Amino acid sequence: MTDHAVTVPAALLESVVRGWRDLSTRLVQLGRDRPEGDGGVFVNPPITRGSTVLFASLEAMDAAGHRRYDDEQLIYGAMGTPVQHRLEQVIAAIEGGAHAQIVPSGLAACALPLLACLAAGDHCLLSDTVYGPTRRFAEKVLRRFGVEITYFPPLASESELLALARPTTRVIYAESPGSHSFEVQDLRMLGRVARQLDARLIVDNTWGIGLIDPFALGAHISVQALTKYPAGHSDTIIGAVTVASDADWRLLRDTAIQSGQTAGPDDCWLTLRGLRTMGVRQERQAATAIAVALWLQSRPEVARVLHPALPSCPGHENWKRDFTGASSLFGVVFDPAFTGADLMAMIDSLTLFGIGASWGGYESLVLPTTGGISRTCQSVTQDGPACRFHIGLEAGELLIVDLARGLDGMSATRRARAGA
């Protein structure tokens, strides 16, 4: 097993884990009750399940309805419960925003701000590398409602982006790193363009939660699939949308209420509990991920490793400038001499990597990305068969042994095919 040990340069390792280490103390302390006087409090807030909220008078009920923008106001179960409000406070704090709205899923978090900010006749600039279901929502729902969509290359220059804009452009929607292909976008430039167009910049920040301040870079709205790292145990579907300004909060909150977008208290509680250990989980997982990525980079079967902390990843300089660390999700592009069937057989041979959608939990996963990505612009990363790895809490050396066995088998199959 020692043949598969990987030494990660100290500076690289520090750049990958620093943000998670810095975040850990805040995650333990945020959103908790503190004892006062002679009374005691539980470390974890209780779950409050309910639909109907009772008031002492009609006047009090009416007044509560007018305070729907308050972060802790109880009005009706579908407008938020105490544990939901607590989770919203924690997410807003670690995202660098002022308010957050918790919603039932990551896709709901992607869709809600688009519904809030766009109307018939408006134009949206959408990064070509967004999460597939976000693209599907834009194509199947927004277009049906009369919103025009233009996809832009994730690494487009400022002049290229402005050339695609229209007088009706109201939203620029980014995801960085790009879904499956991992291009790290220049959010500072996108924020600058959004200001020039008087448009809102919406950023899907699921990969970079806690590692980047999207609002400091010019974003107006930040989207989170809390299903991933915050919940962290592959047993919860939940999302969040965070804003920095009161005007955006009122627009977002009204749209959430009008469309019935709220999460159940049990999912909120599980996510709040998961957040307490996210920093330490991800410090370990990110360190293992960079070691596995470096090992894969050394393999002859691999053409390119798409890990934002490595120079082989497009937009790496943007990651160095804007992020305080890295997550445990990355992509790998294999030598074009291998076929999609070779990749599938290699994945099927792995024993420690689960095959499944999603990521962010404690377990390692692998998912082929070749053939499953819709693109309008030419990809700069998908030259050969490709897959996405999520690295969990397993021992890194054991994961590498598993991968070595799979890659050795893939190479043997190609040699046999060439000799036939």
Side-chain angles (χ1 to χ4, degrees):
M1 194 182 305
T2 55
D3 291 343
H4 300 295
V6 177
T7 300
V8 180
L12 176 58
L13 180 61
E14 176 66 12
S15 72
V16 165
V17 304
R18 183 181 74 252
W20 297 115
R21 188 171 59 240
D22 294 345
L23 187 62
S24 292
T25 299
R26 295 185 68 207
L27 290 172
V28 171
Q29 299 296 323
L30 286 168
R32 287 174 48 197
D33 291 324
R34 301 296 174 184
E36 297 180 2
D38 296 331
V41 296
F42 283 113
V43 169
N44 291 317
I47 300 175
T48 303
R49 302 182 183 89
S51 56
T52 300
V53 177
L54 298 179
F55 298 90
S57 66
L58 289 173
E59 181 181 7
M61 183 177 180
D62 182 66
H66 285 87
R67 294 198 298 272
R68 62 188 179 276
Y69 306 112
D70 294 354
D71 290 337
E72 296 189 17
Q73 182 64 45
L74 294 181
I75 302 170
Y76 179 63
M79 296 185 187
T81 59
V83 71
Q84 175 182 323
H85 294 149
R86 191 67 57 88
L87 176 58
E88 287 169 343
Q89 292 164 11
V90 175
I91 295 300
I94 62 177
E95 283 273 77
H99 305 277
Q101 174 70 47
I102 301 300
V103 293
S105 68
L107 178 56
C110 298
L112 180 62
L114 290 170
L115 289 174
C117 297
L118 292 165
D122 287 346
H123 176 241
C124 175
L125 284 168
L126 196 68
S127 173
D128 198 38
T129 53
V130 295
Y131 176 51
T134 303
R135 189 186 191 100
R136 185 176 63 227
F137 177 80
E139 291 294 323
K140 301 297 184 181
V141 179
L142 293 181
R143 285 196 190 275
R144 181 161 52 89
F145 289 166
V147 175
E148 297 180 299
I149 307 293
T150 298
Y151 295 96
F152 66 91
L155 300 180
S157 67
E158 185 167 347
S159 60
E160 290 171 331
L161 200 61
L162 287 169
L164 295 173
R166 304 176 188 176
T168 54
T169 301
R170 298 290 176 264
V171 164
I172 300 174
Y173 190 104
E175 181 174 344
S176 184
S179 186
H180 293 309
S181 48
F182 293 92
E183 298 93 338
V184 184
Q185 295 185 261
D186 187 348
L187 296 183
R188 293 178 187 269
M189 180 272 288
L190 293 177
R192 190 164 59 246
V193 171
R195 290 192 297 273
Q196 292 180 57
L197 299 176
D198 195 23
R200 281 180 167 79
L201 173 59
I202 303 173
V203 176
D204 186 332
N205 190 37
T206 300
W207 190 92
I209 184 170
L211 302 176
I212 191 172
D213 183 340
F215 303 104
L217 299 177
H220 299 88
I221 300 173
S222 182
V223 167
Q224 284 291 338
L226 301 181
T227 303
K228 307 299 194 288
Y229 295 126
H233 292 77
S234 302
D235 56 6
T236 307
I237 303 293
I238 192 167
V241 187
T242 305
V243 296
S245 77
D246 286 341
D248 286 336
W249 170 238
R250 288 174 176 268
L251 178 65
L252 180 74
R253 177 70 168 147
D254 283 343
T255 306
I257 292 172
Q258 291 155 7
S259 58
Q261 295 282 20
T262 190
D266 293 82
D267 289 329
C268 291
W269 189 88
L270 285 169
T271 304
L272 190 58
R273 184 175 69 167
L275 275 165
R276 303 306 183 191
T277 62
M278 181 176 73
V280 69
R281 281 188 282 109
Q282 277 306 297
E283 184 177 351
R284 161 74 179 272
Q285 289 176 241
T288 305
I290 194 63
V292 173
L294 286 174
W295 180 84
L296 283 165
Q297 191 170 249
S298 72
R299 290 288 302 203
E301 300 88 353
V302 172
R304 192 174 200 177
V305 175
L306 304 173
H307 189 301
L310 297 178
S312 55
C313 188
H316 166 70
E317 292 302 319
N318 295 326
W319 175 84
K320 283 179 62 177
R321 182 191 66 193
D322 296 334
F323 287 74
T324 62
S327 294
S328 51
L329 184 80
F330 63 92
V332 174
V333 181
F334 292 91
D335 189 313
F338 292 100
T339 67
D342 293 334
L343 175 62
M344 303 305 174
M346 187 276 290
I347 289 175
D348 282 343
S349 75
L350 300 177
T351 59
L352 294 182
F353 288 84
I355 301 172
S358 197
W359 43 273
Y362 57 84
E363 76 288 357
S364 291
L365 296 170
V366 60
L367 190 71
T369 53
T370 297
I373 303 176
S374 296
R375 290 286 187 268
T376 300
C377 310
Q378 184 175 359
S379 172
V380 298
T381 63
Q382 303 286 302
D383 301 324
C387 66
R388 184 185 72 185
F389 288 103
H390 170 254
I391 303 302
L393 289 169
E394 301 92 345
E397 285 195 8
L398 295 179
L399 293 175
I400 290 173
V401 168
D402 196 25
L403 287 168
R405 187 184 305 115
L407 293 179
D408 288 344
M410 188 164 73
S411 288
T413 298
R414 188 181 73 170
R415 287 194 299 271
R417 185 168 62 236

